[in-house]
Amino acid sequence: MGKKGKKEKKGRGAEKTAAKMEKKVSKRSRKEEEDLEALIAHFQTLDARKTQIVETPCSPPSPRLNASLSAHPEKDELILFGGEYFNGQKTFLYNELYIYNIRKDSWSKVDIPNPPPRRCAHQAVVVPQGGGQLWVFGGEFASPDGEQFYHYRDLWVLHLATKTWEQVKDYVYYNDVYAFDLDTFTWSKLCPSGVGPSPRSGCQMSVTPQGSVVIYGGYSKQRIKKDVDKGTPHCDMFLLKSEEGREGSWAWSRINPSGVKPTPRSGFSVAVAPNHQTLLFGGVCDEEEEERLEGDFFNDLYFFDATRNRWFAGQLKGPKTEKRRRRRGRRAGPDGAGEQEQACGGAGAPAPLEVVTEVAAEDGTVVTIKQMLCAPHVAGQPQPEDEDSPEEASSPVVEPSPRSNAMLAVKHGVLYVYGGMFEAGDRQVTLSDLYCLDLHKMEEWKALVEMDPETQEWLEETDSDEDSDQAEGAEGGEEEEEEEEEDSAEDGSSEDG
């Protein structure tokens, strides 16, 4: 009995120790959250100094990822908001608003009073109501050392016609499926029937021509053994559809599209392409081992046709040059035949096809027409190529580098890809380049803003980071950093503590 009593006492002691530890961790978490809230409040104080709307022409924005890039619903403009940047030691958060004029190929920075706090990884959508609105929900704020995080659940609207920010406060937020009414400014929770996607982060959503919602991909981790988690990029696909005859009722169904599907990945970006197709670009597939994590980055394109429930790989045709077309028209074979004849009857080429067509005239006469046509090109066989000059053959291919977390927008059938990131060893490269691709022609990428990743500053991580770096790192702008230094000098204190 004595030994048993000792074991029970020891067990109760372990429970008390665990409870104390849990309480300590909880207290520390609350303290960290309070510290971040204080830091966010400090930045909002700096933003409160903005009392006028100022739009200034500027150079392209600095490198960043997890920002939002949206197409203006009425003008030929792209709207860039927020984002983050990491230089190896510090994380910078932004709440800057930039406008890119597509026709003029020019950038402008718009300072608006009372903007949302600095953030990244938020959700943004544009609607045409009221002359155009940009809605921003949620997102994340990180401490400069990247060890503490604050997750927003606020809702903001930017009225594009008047260039004013407004925070919408009367809403209810759940970590579930819900809808927001743009007329009443209220949330309503959806309770779909059927089996939906498993819990995950980073999934992407798109709409179908029928008004349904497509959910694709995402990322989650599972515990495989003690203190070891394994990440899983999801490539499953679900349809959230309104049930006919039952207003407000929705149902989940899993779909398995045919065609050329994207390889498993996370961090990809999506946009709605012409003909209501969903476009997927880039991403990363992480290969994880216990002590090693390597990412394979992509810059490929895929299209999902919801009407046909099919994936298509986005393949470029290549540029068409006048020089090449003129050369094709002049070139003749050894017997003096033109290229049309040589292509149809040359060595190794498929035999020409004889097409016979009978046309009946009004008087009943039947006219027989015979045509010799080139055989259609068989997939997988190389097509005859022109003998281009060395300069033409060696011209580099212009395309965005492989990346994840890029920003996409489509305007007038043109896809715009801005920024993102990729990893080179232990170094994270954050991009600020801008590319466009005509989705109707699908010929070639064009670089609108180029960037040399080698010129980006990268500071190796050190063990002597001070808490005083907190405000400096999260500022996200040189102007704000200078203002804070002035504040510190006036107050006779720093951000420590």
Side-chain angles (χ1 to χ4, degrees), residues 9 15-16 46 90 105 122 125 132 134 136 145 167 171 225 230 238 251 259-260 275 288 292-293 369 374 490:
K9 187 175 182 180
E15 291 176 359
K16 289 182 179 179
L46 296 179
K90 300 175 186 176
D105 186 24
H122 51 278
V125 63
L134 172 71
V136 174
D145 59 10
Q167 183 178 8
Y171 68 93
K225 60 181 181 180
K230 181 175 178 58
F238 293 83
V260 182
N275 301 322
E288 296 183 72
R292 184 177 63 88
L293 174 64
I369 302 175
C374 295
E490 292 174 1

Side-chain angles (χ1 to χ4, degrees), residues 42-43 46 92-93 118 471-477 480-481 484:
H42 172 73
F43 298 151
L46 296 179
F92 295 81
L93 275 298
R118 291 157 172 79
E472 180 185 357
E475 277 296 338
E480 288 84 353
E481 292 178 6
E484 185 186 6

Side-chain angles (χ1 to χ4, degrees), residues 8-156:
E8 290 178 351
K9 187 175 182 180
K10 183 178 180 181
R12 288 195 296 270
E15 291 176 359
K16 289 182 179 179
T17 302
K20 289 181 179 178
M21 182 61 68
E22 183 178 353
K23 185 177 180 180
K24 185 177 181 181
V25 171
S26 178
K27 185 177 181 180
R28 183 187 306 152
S29 298
R30 288 196 301 270
K31 180 65 168 59
E32 290 177 350
E33 186 172 2
E34 290 172 359
D35 290 343
L36 288 182
E37 289 178 345
L39 195 58
I40 294 171
H42 172 73
F43 298 151
Q44 287 184 284
T45 301
L46 296 179
D47 289 333
R49 297 179 179 180
K50 302 174 182 178
T51 58
Q52 295 181 338
I53 301 172
V54 180
E55 185 169 353
T56 309
C58 64
S59 56
S62 60
R64 64 193 64 196
L65 72 154
N66 287 327
S68 59
L69 184 67
S70 310
H72 195 293
E74 296 181 351
K75 300 180 180 179
D76 293 335
E77 295 177 346
L78 304 180
I79 307 166
L80 178 71
F81 174 73
E84 64 176 309
Y85 170 72
F86 180 59
N87 69 356
Q89 290 184 352
K90 300 175 186 176
T91 299
F92 295 81
L93 275 298
Y94 305 98
N95 63 346
E96 300 166 327
L97 184 72
Y98 289 93
I99 303 294
Y100 175 69
N101 188 303
I102 296 175
R103 295 183 181 276
K104 296 181 180 179
D105 186 24
S106 62
W107 290 90
S108 61
K109 183 180 179 182
V110 186
D111 290 313
I112 301 176
N114 303 313
R118 291 157 172 79
R119 67 190 61 203
C120 65
H122 51 278
Q123 298 296 319
V125 63
V126 290
V127 295
Q129 280 89 340
Q133 297 173 343
L134 172 71
W135 288 85
V136 174
F137 175 75
E140 182 179 85
F141 179 88
S143 61
D145 59 10
E147 297 295 330
Q148 302 176 34
F149 302 92
Y150 181 88
H151 296 92
Y152 296 101
R153 55 179 184 178
D154 51 354
L155 181 65
W156 295 77

